[in-house]
Amino acid sequence: MRTRSATPSRRRGAGPRRSSTRAGGARRVTQRRETYDRGDGAVVLPYDTGRGCVLLTRQFRYPAYVNDHPDGMLVEAAAGLLDSEDPSTAVRREAAEELGVTLGPLTRVLDAYLSPGSVTERLHGAPDVRAPAQFVVSGCRR
């Protein structure tokens, strides 16, 4: 994870200020910002039309645990960082690792910034809709 600092110019009234100057009636404000760059990620939400449900995973998340979650186990969609892959390849890898399923054709439906106030990560998302017989499952509890 990389950390970047920037000092962008902002108009009056924007956030905490370090210093300000006036030039020709315009106000320039210098701010200090900290940004965490962890790379982009991808997510998939496989939908089982036969049972009318989505496939999710349950994983331990240390930050949730230290922030008063009872056991740190969160229910999530299959997702992960791109690791220099395209979103489709990454999400297929994550679905196989986390859910034990092989995905069919995917169509990207969203790009979302999950915590844009401090993290640069953009999440690429796609649904996977199909009948239960089309899921290829290996080693996963259904």
Side-chain angles (χ1 to χ4, degrees):
M1 179 184 317
R2 295 181 307 206
T3 302
R4 291 190 275 190
S5 292
T7 53
S9 292
R10 295 284 184 233
R11 286 197 268 183
R12 182 178 171 177
R17 296 176 205 138
R18 269 183 65 205
S19 63
S20 63
T21 58
R22 285 185 186 264
R27 184 172 196 155
R28 180 184 172 123
V29 177
T30 302
Q31 298 176 334
R32 182 175 169 90
R33 306 268 176 133
E34 190 170 88
T35 300
Y36 301 96
D37 185 354
R38 47 177 275 133
D40 289 351
V43 62
V44 67
L45 198 58
Y47 180 71
D48 183 331
T49 57
R51 293 188 287 175
C53 64
V54 295
L55 301 179
L56 300 170
T57 185
R58 190 167 184 254
Q59 297 191 46
F60 176 75
R61 297 297 185 194
Y62 183 72
Y65 179 71
V66 297
N67 200 25
D68 297 328
H69 189 278
D71 63 4
M73 298 299 290
L74 301 181
V75 177
E76 307 175 344
L81 295 176
L82 296 186
D83 296 334
S84 71
E85 299 169 315
D86 63 277
S88 179
T89 301
V91 83
R92 289 176 190 288
R93 172 180 44 81
E94 292 296 330
E97 290 174 6
E98 296 178 7
L99 301 173
V101 298
T102 302
L103 301 176
L106 297 170
T107 302
R108 184 186 299 178
V109 295
L110 71 94
D111 284 341
Y113 293 90
L114 301 182
S115 187
S118 61
V119 180
T120 63
E121 180 181 10
R122 178 177 49 185
L123 194 62
H124 306 279
D128 182 44
V129 180
R130 56 173 94 196
Q134 294 173 303
F135 283 108
V136 178
V137 179
S138 62
C140 102
R141 188 175 72 200
R142 291 182 57 122

